[in-house]
Amino acid sequence: MTSGLWQAGLRDWYGPGTSIVQRVRGYRPNRRGEIKLVRWLRVGILRGLSCGAVGFALYVQLDAVGLARDRAVVDAMMLATASFLWRGSLIRVVLRPGEIVCSGMWRHAVVPCSEVKRLHRDTWRGHLALETHGGENIDFALFDGSFWDLYYDFSGVCGDAMRAHARAESEAGSVPGPGPGPGPAGLRRYFNWSVVADPLAVGAVFCGGMALYLTVRG
């Protein structure tokens, strides 16, 4: 996968400043042979806003002004917002050896390359979608489109990367083609756990419960 993806022509799809953009965009495979397609600007903005919401919640909690119930309500809202924003930063696509993994806000889908029928933009919204041989579709609406599309077609680059990855894996013979017989499992979906967003959500529920308790008691 590491060499096949580059041999498929991906090295020519980076626009101006090819070597620099390749390094900054992170398209080179990591030690596990994975290539992560991430909207880094979006990730930075969302995580910055999430940290700001957490900081504001801490400030409100440490401030002695106002009723404890009101502070708990504000903290619950801020922590819930921070959790939601952090989950928004988790949206990405990972090209693993033999698989395409689409990580969304709540779930991630694992698609074996042998199950990829086509990547197209035939949806009514015009967003990139992946169709499997089983007729299932994965919509990349939340992943598609970025600031870098104003400079060069970054969303097109990501779509080409996924096509090249599936094609390179099939040509290398590392995954069997579609049809009956033994082979990798089909499309799989899992809940997208987060070591940051989930504790924030738990904190929001706790603060909401405290606000309700103080309201009933008072």
Side-chain angles (χ1 to χ4, degrees), residues 9-214:
L10 187 59
R11 65 175 67 249
D12 298 326
W13 297 331
Y14 287 90
T18 301
S19 59
I20 297 176
V21 176
Q22 284 181 0
R23 186 176 300 277
V24 173
R25 291 289 94 195
Y27 284 109
R28 294 187 181 278
N30 59 23
R31 295 179 180 178
R32 292 178 293 180
E34 299 176 344
I35 293 179
K36 295 183 179 181
L37 306 177
V38 186
R39 303 295 197 250
W40 292 111
L41 179 62
R42 185 182 303 173
V43 170
I45 293 175
L46 290 176
R47 293 192 177 182
L49 293 174
S50 179
C51 292
V54 173
F56 184 75
L58 291 175
Y59 171 77
V60 170
Q61 186 61 37
L62 296 176
D63 191 1
V65 179
L67 299 175
R69 177 194 60 191
D70 295 338
R71 296 201 304 270
V73 170
V74 173
D75 285 347
M77 294 175 58
M78 289 296 100
L79 292 178
T81 300
S83 177
F84 181 80
L85 291 173
W86 195 275
R87 281 202 168 274
S89 73
L90 300 177
I91 299 172
R92 66 189 61 198
V93 173
V94 180
L95 307 181
R96 293 178 180 172
E99 293 178 335
I100 296 176
V101 182
C102 176
S103 297
M105 292 183 63
W106 311 106
R107 295 190 303 174
H108 65 261
V110 181
V111 185
C113 289
S114 61
E115 289 294 314
V116 178
K117 181 178 181 181
R118 61 172 182 151
L119 284 117
H120 62 90
R121 294 185 179 273
D122 298 340
T123 59
W124 64 275
R125 289 178 294 179
H127 291 294
L128 183 65
L130 185 152
E131 182 182 355
T132 69
H133 289 287
E136 298 181 88
N137 284 277
I138 298 175
D139 193 344
F140 295 93
L142 295 177
F143 175 80
D144 203 15
S146 76
F147 171 80
W148 291 106
D149 286 340
L150 299 176
Y151 184 52
Y152 66 100
D153 190 10
F154 185 60
S155 295
V157 170
C158 293
D160 289 340
M162 286 186 273
R163 293 185 185 92
H165 175 60
R167 182 171 61 249
E169 289 287 331
S170 298
E171 290 176 354
S174 57
V175 293
L187 174 65
R188 308 185 301 279
R189 300 182 188 271
Y190 301 95
F191 182 75
N192 195 10
W193 297 99
S194 172
V195 295
V196 176
D198 292 340
L200 291 174
V202 172
V205 172
F206 175 78
C207 291
M210 285 297 297
L212 181 62
Y213 169 75
L214 293 173

